[in-house]
Amino acid sequence: MFLAFVKTPSTEVIRITIPEGYTVDDIIDLFVSKGIGTKEGFVEAINNYEFEGYDFIDDIDMTGRYYRLEGYLYPDTYEFYMGKSEPYYIYKLLDRFDQIMNDELRAFAKERGITIDEALIIASIIEKEAYFKNDYDLVSSVLWNRLESPEYPKIECDTTLLYALIHLTGERVTTLTEDDLEMDNPYNSYKNDGLPPSPICNPSFTAITCALYPETTKYYFFVSDKEMNLHYAETLKEHNKNIEEIKKQEAE
C-alpha cells in the first residue's frame, strides 16, 4: 500500500522526429505540443544551461543572436523518456550533433579557416535556400563565392532576414517588403556584409557537408521558379534574364 503512493520516475517513452531545417522555435513548439516541458523552460535551457562536455558551445559568440544553440540541435528521430526536465531533451540533441560533427568535418572547417559556428551558419542558409538536395552544393558555391569576393560582399539571402522577422513578430512571415529590406538588423544580409550572427535553422548532415565541400563554380546569383527549381547565374545581367524568364513562365 505504501508503494502505491510513492511517485516513481516515468518510464513512458516517446518517439519524436525533428525535421531538417527546423528552427529552435519550431523544435520547442514540437516538444511542447507533445506534452514535454514549457517554452520558457526550453528557452532558459538553450540560452543559459551549462551543458558540459561540448567544446563547441564555449566558442559560440552570443553577439546579436537570438538563441545560443540555434544550429546545434541536430534534426533526427529520437526516443525520449517523458517527464524529464528540459535540459535532458536538449542533451540528447547535442549528443547527436557531437557525433555528426566528427573529427573529419572539424578538421576541414579548420582547414577552410572557419569556425564550427560559421560552418553551421552557411549550412543553415543552404538548408533554407535550396528546396532540393541536389542544389545544396551549388547554393554553397554561390555563398562561398560571395564571401570570398570583394565585388559581392553581401550574401543577399531572403531567408536570413525572414528568420529575424519571424522572431521579432512571432508570425510566420514568408515574403519581404521594401521596408523589410531596409531594416537595420544584423540578420539583414542585404545591408550587412558577410554572415549573420547565427545559424537560421538546425541543418542536416548533407547541408553541413556541402557547406564545407562546395561545388566549384563562378556563380554569384540564384533565383527559384514556381516549381522551386533554382536558376544560377555568373553575372547580374544573366541573373536578371533568369528572373524575366521565370516571370514569363508564371504569367503563362
Side-chain angles (χ1 to χ4, degrees), residues 65-176:
R65 67 197 292 152
Y66 299 120
Y67 291 116
R68 177 180 54 155
L69 298 182
E70 187 77 86
Y72 297 82
L73 306 183
Y74 191 74
D76 208 338
T77 297
Y78 298 88
E79 290 187 348
F80 302 100
Y81 286 113
M82 294 291 286
K84 301 286 188 178
S85 64
E86 288 86 353
Y88 159 79
Y89 302 96
I90 302 303
Y91 259 122
K92 295 269 281 189
L93 275 59
L94 291 174
D95 275 343
R96 185 68 180 122
F97 172 77
D98 202 28
Q99 295 171 1
I100 291 297
M101 198 68 193
N102 56 38
D103 290 343
E104 181 182 356
L105 293 181
R106 288 168 180 254
F108 203 76
K110 186 175 182 180
E111 184 179 323
R112 291 204 71 109
I114 60 174
T115 64
I116 292 175
D117 202 47
E118 289 168 333
L120 292 177
I121 293 172
I122 297 169
S124 70
I125 297 171
I126 293 169
E127 193 81 61
K128 285 299 189 180
E129 289 286 345
Y131 299 96
F132 305 109
K133 290 192 183 298
N134 60 2
D135 279 309
Y136 281 24
D137 55 352
L138 291 174
V139 171
S140 182
S141 77
V142 172
L143 296 176
W144 274 104
N145 286 346
R146 283 182 168 252
L147 290 170
E148 295 176 343
S149 169
E151 187 176 358
Y152 299 106
K154 298 174 176 60
I155 60 172
E156 298 185 332
C157 290
D158 288 7
T159 52
T160 63
L161 184 51
L162 287 170
Y163 173 80
L165 288 171
I166 290 170
H167 183 84
L168 293 171
T169 66
E171 300 176 0
R172 299 290 176 176
V173 183
T174 57
T175 56
L176 297 174

Side-chain angles (χ1 to χ4, degrees), residues 2 16 27 34 36 46 55 59 65 70 80 87 95 101 107 138 141-142 169 172 178 191 193 210 219 222:
F2 170 76
I16 296 178
I27 292 172
K34 301 293 184 181
I36 294 172
I46 286 166
D55 59 344
D59 296 331
R65 67 197 292 152
E70 187 77 86
F80 302 100
D95 275 343
M101 198 68 193
L138 291 174
S141 77
V142 172
T169 66
R172 299 290 176 176
E178 290 298 323
K191 298 287 284 185
D193 293 353
C210 286
Y219 295 140
F222 61 83

Side-chain angles (χ1 to χ4, degrees), residues 3 40 51 53 75 122 134 144 174 220 229:
L3 291 175
E40 295 76 16
F51 294 98
I122 297 169
N134 60 2
W144 274 104
T174 57
Y220 288 91
N229 297 305

